[in-house]
Amino acid sequence: MTNNFVSIGKILNFHGVKGEAKLGYTKNREDFLARVEFVYMKIENEYKKFEIQNIRFTPKCAIVKFKGINSLNEILPYKGFVVFVDENTAREFLEEDEFLIDELVGLNVYDGEKRVGSVVGVSNNGASDLLSVKTNSKNICLVPFVKAIVTSVDIKTKRIQINNIEGLLS
């Protein structure tokens, strides 16, 4: 069985001389990160497991200490690396109305019974997640992923139902 991995952040730089790293991550995910015990980094096409010894948060990033990395020289090679968790770990911490990005990309978007496009990406503007929807006319429109607009998501039928307000998909 192969593991699927989900990216959760990136090693931005080192912090101090004791092997700590500055980790950039999506806003409002501190609760999730604080509960993660192991992360992975892809090194030469292989996912290497790292145990989190300690994590604390600053207004701009997380400061992470990995078990067994105790100096500046030991953390430096990982600068710029993307940090992953396995998909099952990511799913454990999802709230009822949360989804993994790769589950949403490719889903068809409907307004009533009319297919109006498909999801090609997901981003965040700080206030909410945004679905990048490629419309039938090939335009890319940003749709706020909020209950008033996205009324239902069905992963099994690959269908997202939206309340298409005027000007949303133009």
Side-chain angles (χ1 to χ4, degrees):
M1 185 190 125
T2 59
N3 277 1
N4 287 325
F5 293 94
V6 177
S7 65
I8 60 164
K10 184 176 182 178
I11 304 277
L12 302 174
N13 212 336
F14 63 90
H15 178 79
V17 294
K18 295 184 176 157
E20 292 180 312
K22 291 181 178 180
L23 177 72
Y25 62 94
T26 305
K27 290 196 182 323
N28 304 321
R29 301 307 291 170
E30 293 84 0
D31 288 351
F32 166 70
L33 287 171
R35 294 185 292 185
V36 171
E37 295 176 42
F38 298 98
V39 297
Y40 298 83
M41 288 184 245
K42 193 172 184 179
I43 300 163
E44 295 172 4
N45 292 324
E46 196 176 311
Y47 287 91
K48 186 176 174 195
K49 189 175 189 176
F50 292 80
E51 184 176 349
I52 293 178
Q53 183 176 319
N54 188 329
I55 188 166
R56 64 188 192 278
F57 300 95
T58 73
K60 293 188 177 179
C61 66
I63 306 296
V64 181
K65 172 79 173 76
F66 297 109
K67 197 169 196 169
I69 294 181
N70 298 307
S71 73
L72 171 62
N73 288 339
E74 290 175 303
I75 194 64
L76 261 181
Y78 301 107
K79 181 178 174 181
F81 276 62
V82 175
V83 177
F84 299 87
V85 293
D86 67 77
E87 188 176 331
N88 292 334
T89 299
R91 286 187 191 289
E92 280 177 40
F93 296 111
L94 289 178
E95 304 276 325
E96 184 182 332
D97 286 341
E98 288 184 318
F99 303 92
L100 298 178
I101 288 172
D102 66 352
E103 291 179 313
L104 298 173
V105 173
L107 295 188
N108 292 307
V109 179
Y110 288 84
D111 177 20
E113 290 305 310
K114 182 179 180 225
R115 183 185 175 280
V116 292
S118 64
V119 177
V120 294
V122 181
S123 58
N124 186 293
N125 66 0
S128 69
D129 289 323
L130 300 166
L131 299 177
S132 295
V133 175
K134 188 173 192 176
T135 65
N136 295 339
S137 58
K138 306 290 185 242
N139 293 333
I140 304 284
C141 299
L142 296 177
V143 175
F145 199 1
V146 294
K147 277 209 177 300
I149 296 171
V150 177
T151 56
S152 72
V153 175
D154 190 332
I155 302 296
K156 287 184 182 68
T157 61
K158 297 184 177 293
R159 185 179 177 114
I160 292 179
Q161 194 68 44
I162 66 166
N163 179 12
N164 188 10
I165 56 177
E166 192 175 337
L168 185 63
L169 295 177
S170 53

